[in-house]
Amino acid sequence: MPRYAYPRPSRREITPESLYRNRRRFLQQSALLGCGAALPGLWPGAAYAWKEALAEAPASAFSTDESLTSLDDITSYNNFYEFGTRKRDPSDWAHYLQTDPWSVRIEGEVGKPGEFPLDEIVRAAWLEERIYRLRCVEGWSMVIPWIGFELRELLEYHQPTADADYVALETLYDPDNLRGQRRGIIDWPYREGLRLDEAMHPLTLLAVGLYDKPMPNQNGAPIRLVVPWKYGFKSIKSIVKIRLQKERPVSSWEADAPEEYGFYANVNPNVDHPRWSQARERRIGESGRRETLLFNGYEEEVAHLYEGMDLEEHF
Ligand code: MTE
């Protein structure tokens, strides 16, 4: 029996986009002036109810001002193979995901390892709203108003050692509730990884909400990664383990089909997938197709990470 079902908001409850953005701008200005608005990261402590305060998180300068994908599309067109391979499976089945209590284990090459309750992690973090483009390797994209904090904030707190060159992340393994894990779609649990400098980049986010609310189960509750310049499959959902290590981790899709899914998985219109072109994409909710941008439009921010690397070889 499911104990927790994420309530799907009705269309009527959705704030029109213009109102939503004006409120955010006000909160951002208040934050810059140091006045007024409740800034979640400032008051860590047992009484701070971060889930209720998500709407107060100030807007980030890293946000795109492109039109947002609707909440309905964001929560009903998903890839979350733990619930099946069809786009509707996550919204149909993710109410089985048990997200409370939740903790994240941080281990390997760190000075402060351990298992930490999610509430403790989030209460100590600086939450922001980050509107990012998400480009899926399958050729579609969305614009999503995430709420989260920088992965580097968490990693720095846990003190990576000199041997921490990579970060390996893992999703919950719970086949009783995650029905897709009863089938050998991939070698469970879902695994992803980043080079340490990619993980420490300020664009790399641990998201705990979207559209002002806690993360919907189908989008990777209660905490997921978002790496906006990489194909969506790098953005691992429902994270329970973060391991710092010397060796490069092998991601689930890379293990499954190394000729199709590389470790880097940077969005690149010039390097095709072996079975289809990556030059164009379909923005969910729009008609037609648009050009895909190198590094998903975040070239200025991240190109330096790959200087001197052959991006066709390291795809
Ligand atoms: N994380 C886990 N654990 N399992 C998955 O199947 N799918 C990935 C990524 N993270 C996936 C995952 C893929 S392919 C994409 S495109 C994004 O999640 C989709 O995120 P969204 O459904 O929230 O848009």
Side-chain angles (χ1 to χ4, degrees), residues 74 77-82 84 90 134-138 140 142 144 146 171-172 186 188 190-191 210 215 218-220 224 231-238 253:
I74 292 173
Y77 190 86
N78 300 101
N79 277 341
F80 200 171
Y81 279 19
E82 281 79 349
L134 179 122
R135 166 65 155 82
C136 184
V137 73
E138 296 164 337
W140 48 267
M142 296 192 189
I144 301 178
W146 305 108
T171 293
L172 176 71
I186 57 168
W188 309 108
Y190 196 99
R191 295 184 190 87
L210 59 82
M215 190 64 72
Q218 57 267 44
N219 294 87
R224 68 172 285 173
Y231 290 117
F233 69 86
K234 296 296 283 186
S235 293
I236 180 172
K237 297 176 167 183
S238 307
W253 290 114

Side-chain angles (χ1 to χ4, degrees), residues 125-145:
W126 176 265
L127 292 176
E128 282 186 347
E129 185 200 51
R130 296 276 181 100
I131 303 175
Y132 283 162
R133 291 177 284 274
L134 179 122
R135 166 65 155 82
C136 184
V137 73
E138 296 164 337
W140 48 267
S141 63
M142 296 192 189
V143 178
I144 301 178

Side-chain angles (χ1 to χ4, degrees), residues 238-268:
S238 307
I239 298 165
V240 292
K241 193 158 100 182
I242 300 178
R243 183 181 173 78
L244 285 94
Q245 58 189 53
K246 181 90 187 146
E247 323 73 54
R248 180 168 86 68
V250 178
S251 350
S252 290
W253 290 114
E254 188 191 359
D256 189 66
E259 63 296 339
E260 299 195 9
Y261 307 104
F263 173 75
Y264 284 95
N266 292 317
V267 174
N268 191 336

Side-chain angles (χ1 to χ4, degrees), residues 39-42 44 48 119-128 148-150 153-154:
L39 298 181
L42 293 182
Y48 164 53
D119 283 351
E120 226 173 82
I121 293 174
V122 182
R123 277 190 206 123
W126 176 265
L127 292 176
E128 282 186 347
F149 58 95
E150 293 174 9
E153 203 186 320
L154 183 76

Side-chain angles (χ1 to χ4, degrees), residues 41-55:
L42 293 182
W43 295 297
Y48 164 53
W50 63 267
K51 285 185 185 161
E52 280 81 66
L54 290 175

